[in-house]
Amino acid sequence: MAEAVFQAPKRRARVYESYEAPFPVPSGTEDKLQEHRVYRAEIVNHHVIVRDPDHIQALYGKGYFGKGILSRSRPEHSISDKWRTVNDRCLPVVSFSKYEQWVSMARDALLAQGLDEEDANQMLESYTHPLELELTGKTVVGDGDGLDVAMHSPERREETGISPPVSVDQGSPEPSGYAILEGKRHPEEEIDSDCCGGKRQRRQGDPQYDPLAERYPHEPEQVDQKALSSVKCPRHDDWVVHCGCRVNDSLLRVVAETDADKQGPALTAGCEYVLVEEQEEQEGVDASNRTEQLLCRVNPIRIIEYLQLSLEEAFFLVYALGCLSVYYDEEPLTIVDLWNEFRSMQDKFETTYVAYHYFRSKGWVPKVGIKYGTDLLLYRKGPPFYHASYSVVVEKVDDSFKGAELRPFSWRSLAALSRITGNVSKELMICYIIRPSDMTDEEWSSPECIKRIKAQEIIVNRWVSSRERTDQEEI
């Protein structure tokens, strides 16, 4: 064994992101004007979970804290890799087998609530009945992140084939003074004293670019131009689609309802819809030769990805940075309560946290190292930029380097762990957490004990006889 000498980390070959910040708090001179945010986490089944998407992005993007519960590391789970345009919306395309799994999960959830199996099946059959919608645009292949939000931008519309919403009078200016049809004024068209000339202003065109969109979000009604082919203008004795005059709002609602009945059912707000790849049933055709079709169905169970923090990461954000508040049963926990709670949830939490705190303060990004048989893995900057440089085993000792070993090693187990670490291009490190001999158990049960604890690293190297002889011959 030898005293730790940190080697240069191994950079990853392809990196497609920039390094934002080491911590999710304002640290440099450029960040002084930023507001110090306090993020929220919850203890659920002995796990620390972050639910808010903005908090997830901040905690993982700045310091790479936690991991996605449905992803390998970065919380980037998407319901599908393929998306298709339907009625100005991008919907994910999923396989029939995956959709059946969701239906089965929803059925199990209903049965767990006490419903009869027959009632649960009838409910799911009615809820997941396919909708007859016309598929437009082209299929987009990607991770699907932000498609529903970004599709309103002109660039996203152009890429995905989504057309902007078409209003009745888009591209046709309204004749001055025209607001009455058949000699009657609609209640919504009453005089507005705030408007120029005493007449109420009308929102025109795409609400994304119209300054009146916030004030009059309910107008105009979106009606297909074909539906106006049967509406005549009493002023010009011509079809409205030709003259461009504005139609009375009450008549617009009738035309819109008629047009909706012709087009079929619309997508209900609040439901998550998916396109299921199913084989079209044809008489006299084998199952292997049937063509696939896309059916729009409601997703019976929504799976949302959260950020899971290790206990050491959560306590570091609370104690060292002060940017996280952890709730348990809807009540925020103090630092002392959180320390005692984590001690009861994980054996030797005090020792592993001191090691985590020590390496974080040195600029490393520690991650759980259980997949390599150790306690921690040390990354420079973060997992997207460098491979892990060290596998760390944490041990607790007293001032004389004596004490009950947390992980008793034999020579064989230590050699095996060193060999595994070398095969994955890492170095094995033993980090000794040195506890003062005069520290009582009462002091150890408080986070204030961290101020009196020291750490010492030692690198474990394998001695290979054949390599040693080769080096001597070269010398």
Side-chain angles (χ1 to χ4, degrees), residues 129-153:
H129 191 273
L131 300 177
E132 296 181 0
L133 299 177
E134 181 181 357
L135 301 180
T136 58
K138 60 183 179 179
T139 302
V140 180
V141 179
D143 56 4
D145 290 342
L147 283 176
D148 290 335
V149 178
M151 75 175 188
H152 297 289
S153 63

Side-chain angles (χ1 to χ4, degrees), residues 97-333:
S97 60
K98 177 183 286 189
Y99 188 78
E100 280 188 326
Q101 292 178 0
W102 294 344
V103 174
S104 177
M105 293 170 62
R107 183 183 295 106
D108 294 340
L110 293 175
L111 295 178
Q113 296 175 7
L115 271 70
D116 296 335
E117 186 173 359
E118 183 178 356
D119 295 339
N121 292 334
Q122 291 179 357
M123 183 182 299
L124 288 175
E125 183 178 357
S126 174
Y127 189 70
T128 61
H129 191 273
L131 300 177
E132 296 181 0
L133 299 177
E134 181 181 357
L135 301 180
T136 58
K138 60 183 179 179
T139 302
V140 180
V141 179
D143 56 4
D145 290 342
L147 283 176
D148 290 335
V149 178
M151 75 175 188
H152 297 289
S153 63
E155 295 81 2
R156 174 56 68 186
R157 292 195 190 113
E158 194 170 358
E159 294 175 5
T160 59
I162 300 177
S163 302
V166 180
S167 59
V168 176
D169 49 7
Q170 185 174 359
S172 302
E174 175 183 342
S176 59
Y178 182 76
I180 302 176
L181 184 62
E182 298 180 351
K184 295 182 180 180
R185 182 182 298 274
H186 193 269
E188 296 181 358
E189 298 174 358
E190 294 297 333
I191 296 177
D192 192 345
S193 59
D194 295 336
C195 298
C196 181
K199 181 187 172 185
R200 184 181 183 185
Q201 298 295 324
R202 292 286 185 174
R203 177 164 62 85
Q204 307 289 328
D206 194 337
Q208 183 178 359
Y209 307 103
D210 198 318
L212 295 177
E214 296 183 359
R215 184 168 184 179
Y216 305 109
H218 58 279
E219 22 173 27
E221 297 283 351
Q222 297 184 14
V223 181
D224 190 1
Q225 295 287 341
K226 296 180 181 179
L228 297 178
S229 59
S230 60
V231 180
K232 246 189 176 183
C233 176
R235 188 172 187 177
H236 300 95
D237 195 21
D238 196 359
W239 304 115
V240 175
V241 292
H242 296 157
C243 66
C245 291
R246 187 179 182 89
V247 187
N248 184 279
D249 289 345
S250 60
L251 185 58
L252 275 179
R253 284 191 290 270
V254 175
V255 175
E257 293 174 0
T258 306
D259 183 53
D261 294 338
K262 293 180 181 179
Q263 291 184 356
L267 300 182
T268 305
C271 295
E272 184 180 57
Y273 291 87
V274 295
L275 299 177
V276 185
E277 296 177 331
E278 301 184 18
Q279 291 185 349
E280 186 177 2
E281 296 183 359
Q282 299 176 357
E283 296 182 359
V285 179
D286 297 338
S288 58
N289 297 328
R290 293 177 181 174
T291 58
E292 289 189 353
Q293 60 178 347
L294 295 179
L295 296 180
C296 182
R297 298 177 184 268
V298 179
N299 186 3
I301 183 168
R302 301 186 65 178
I303 303 177
I304 303 175
E305 183 168 39
Y306 301 131
L307 185 73
Q308 179 178 345
L309 299 173
S310 67
L311 302 186
E312 293 81 9
E313 289 174 328
F315 195 81
F316 182 84
L317 292 170
V318 174
Y319 175 76
L321 301 182
C323 65
L324 183 70
S325 180
V326 180
Y327 286 72
Y328 186 67
D329 290 339
E330 299 300 328
E331 292 292 335
L333 299 178

Side-chain angles (χ1 to χ4, degrees), residues 18 32 36 58 89 94-96 155 181 216-217 227 274 286 315 324-325 381 432:
S18 59
K32 286 185 178 180
H36 182 80
R89 292 180 60 179
V94 299
S95 62
F96 182 70
E155 295 81 2
L181 184 62
Y216 305 109
V274 295
D286 297 338
F315 195 81
L324 183 70
S325 180
K381 299 176 79 172
Y432 289 102

Side-chain angles (χ1 to χ4, degrees), residues 5-12 359 363-367 372 374 376-383 385-392 421-422 424-429 459-461:
V5 177
F6 293 102
Q7 304 294 333
K10 184 179 180 182
R11 184 184 293 271
R12 291 189 181 273
F359 288 115
W364 294 93
V365 178
K367 289 292 182 180
Y372 295 126
T374 57
L376 297 173
L377 294 175
L378 299 185
Y379 293 86
R380 182 176 184 266
K381 299 176 79 172
F385 306 100
Y386 294 91
H387 294 277
S389 301
Y390 300 95
S391 295
V392 183
T421 305
V424 293
S425 301
K426 297 172 179 46
E427 292 189 78
L428 180 61
M429 177 189 298
I459 297 293
V460 180
N461 293 324

